[in-house]
Amino acid sequence: MAAPELRIKNRACYFRKSISTPSLSSERVLARDAFEFALLWLKRHCKEAVPYWEQARAYYQASGHLPAESSPLTSYYCFLNAVKALLIVKGQKFSDRHGVSGDFESSKRALVNEQINFQGGGVIAALSRYLKEAETENVCNLKDVLSNLPFIHRAFRHTFTSHSELFIPVRNVVYRKHPDANYVWLSADVDGRFADGRAMRTLPDGLERDGGYDDRCVVRTKRRVRWHGHGADDDEKRRALARLKTFHRKCRRDFTYISASPDLWYIKRSISGAKSIKRYNLTLIIAAMHRLSELSRYDPKGLKLYLEGKDNWLLTEFIELSPIQFVDELVCEMTSLEFSVPGVRPRG
């Protein structure tokens, strides 16, 4: 028998896009313009961040009028200013340094030779600390970073046909509560070709198949978090909610999404032939765009070779789609709210 969904303020507790500070009991925000919604929110909650957000929007709009050879520069500065706004809202200190640098390691032009170095200080380093990322390796290559982004993974695998599929699509991602005990866990439904034993063996260490379902394939977190019982006072409820938010942040390391209508959730699995980087999309996207912005500024000939070669679809998809994905994720993180465009009736 399936455990019931956890309910907070009489709403089913579905998985949220915000990583560190999700508002698990609030209603979903529906707005057609993420920048305008966030600007109005900032004017109420953190006016200090408004100039950075307005600059981010200006760069975003400029990118829409530039070709792929030039737009990485304006898109990167859009991301950089948006992250500064986030860090100001969350009270995080940061220096004026970018926090990431790039290099080229070979005479052969290839994405695997485009190096990305995560530094100990700067804006992106402050973002990583705020998100409490688990990754300890500070050097990676552009190919691996792009392979870890679900919204371009189809283009990635068409470009690198021998690369293993890193993401398992899931739906109905929801917290469930034991009917007779005060603890909760996260569960999700797996459909199609991934609902088999081979795919289940590639789940991250913290997930397993839930044997309580005979009619469908369901995965759940191995770890459970203590919840409050009936009649709990306000302090007990606050502590329970704090535990769940900490648990949620750790679950978001394994669950990622594509901004869509409705949003599409995936599990990032552990599989040979595909490097799983222990960083969140926000950090990976801005780091990859930084490297492309360096090419746009300092080596336009090199960037042009990529855009005219076998990597052209992959890089074009990233350049065009990453601003939409990045802004969606950052708005949810900054406001702690679940943000979507209107016109679709999502669950939760």
Side-chain angles (χ1 to χ4, degrees), residues 81-120:
N81 279 281
V83 170
K84 288 179 180 179
L86 167 68
L87 295 174
I88 291 170
V89 168
K90 301 301 181 181
Q92 303 295 305
K93 294 181 179 180
F94 60 91
S95 70
D96 290 334
R97 293 168 53 194
H98 291 202
V100 67
S101 63
D103 201 0
F104 185 62
E105 286 200 311
S106 171
S107 60
K108 181 182 178 182
R109 202 90 236 180
L111 296 181
V112 72
N113 295 327
E114 300 290 347
Q115 183 173 298
I116 296 172
N117 305 304
F118 289 93
Q119 299 172 345

Side-chain angles (χ1 to χ4, degrees), residues 21-293:
T21 59
S23 178
L24 296 172
S25 62
S26 63
E27 289 187 284
R28 185 180 297 262
V29 173
L30 299 177
R32 295 195 179 278
D33 188 332
F35 274 104
E36 184 64 21
F37 161 70
L39 178 62
L40 295 173
W41 186 91
L42 286 171
K43 287 179 177 178
R44 295 196 308 271
H45 296 281
C46 186
K47 292 184 179 179
E48 182 185 355
V50 167
Y52 294 98
W53 191 250
E54 290 177 329
Q55 279 274 48
R57 179 164 64 175
Y59 283 125
Y60 182 95
Q61 292 169 341
S63 294
H65 299 287
L66 293 174
E69 292 85 355
S70 305
S71 61
L73 185 57
T74 49
S75 289
Y76 171 67
Y77 279 103
C78 164
F79 299 169
L80 188 68
N81 279 281
V83 170
K84 288 179 180 179
L86 167 68
L87 295 174
I88 291 170
V89 168
K90 301 301 181 181
Q92 303 295 305
K93 294 181 179 180
F94 60 91
S95 70
D96 290 334
R97 293 168 53 194
H98 291 202
V100 67
S101 63
D103 201 0
F104 185 62
E105 286 200 311
S106 171
S107 60
K108 181 182 178 182
R109 202 90 236 180
L111 296 181
V112 72
N113 295 327
E114 300 290 347
Q115 183 173 298
I116 296 172
N117 305 304
F118 289 93
Q119 299 172 345
V123 176
I124 297 174
L127 173 64
S128 181
R129 287 194 298 271
Y130 164 72
L131 296 175
K132 298 182 180 179
E133 291 185 323
E135 185 60 70
T136 57
E137 293 183 25
N138 292 322
V139 179
C140 54
N141 65 71
L142 184 56
K143 177 185 175 183
D144 285 343
V145 171
L146 295 176
S147 75
N148 275 250
L149 297 173
F151 64 96
I152 56 167
H153 200 60
R154 183 65 58 86
F156 185 92
R157 294 192 68 245
H158 275 284
T159 305
F160 300 97
T161 54
S162 63
H163 194 276
S164 300
E165 195 156 10
L166 188 57
F167 300 99
I168 297 175
V170 292
R171 60 178 180 83
N172 196 30
V173 189
V174 63
Y175 285 104
R176 297 189 180 277
K177 181 181 179 299
H178 194 283
D180 302 316
N182 294 325
Y183 57 84
V184 301
W185 62 93
L186 185 67
S187 78
D189 288 34
V190 180
D191 296 326
R193 61 190 177 90
F194 291 101
D196 63 18
R198 288 182 300 175
M200 293 299 100
R201 287 193 291 271
T202 66
L203 291 173
D205 291 339
L207 299 176
E208 63 184 359
R209 183 164 185 171
D210 190 335
Y213 298 82
D214 297 325
D215 56 339
R216 64 186 193 273
C217 180
V218 177
V219 297
R220 66 183 179 189
T221 53
K222 295 177 183 177
R223 185 186 167 203
R224 303 175 182 186
V225 62
R226 184 161 52 89
W227 193 241
H228 61 77
H230 293 294
D233 60 28
D234 289 342
D235 285 341
E236 289 177 296
K237 290 179 180 179
R238 279 193 291 268
R239 287 193 294 269
L241 191 58
R243 288 191 295 268
L244 183 58
K245 288 183 178 180
T246 299
F247 182 63
H248 173 90
R249 177 177 53 78
K250 295 177 180 178
C251 290
R252 278 288 272 113
R253 295 172 182 170
D254 296 325
F255 287 82
T256 184
Y257 78 96
I258 296 176
S259 175
S261 298
D263 299 310
L264 306 173
W265 284 96
Y266 297 84
I267 293 171
K268 185 192 288 188
R269 58 181 178 161
S270 301
I271 190 168
S272 60
K275 182 177 178 60
S276 178
I277 302 174
K278 297 177 182 178
R279 295 186 185 274
Y280 296 106
N281 284 352
L282 284 171
T283 311
L284 294 174
I285 292 172
I286 193 172
M289 192 62 80
H290 177 270
R291 183 56 190 147
L292 292 179
S293 76

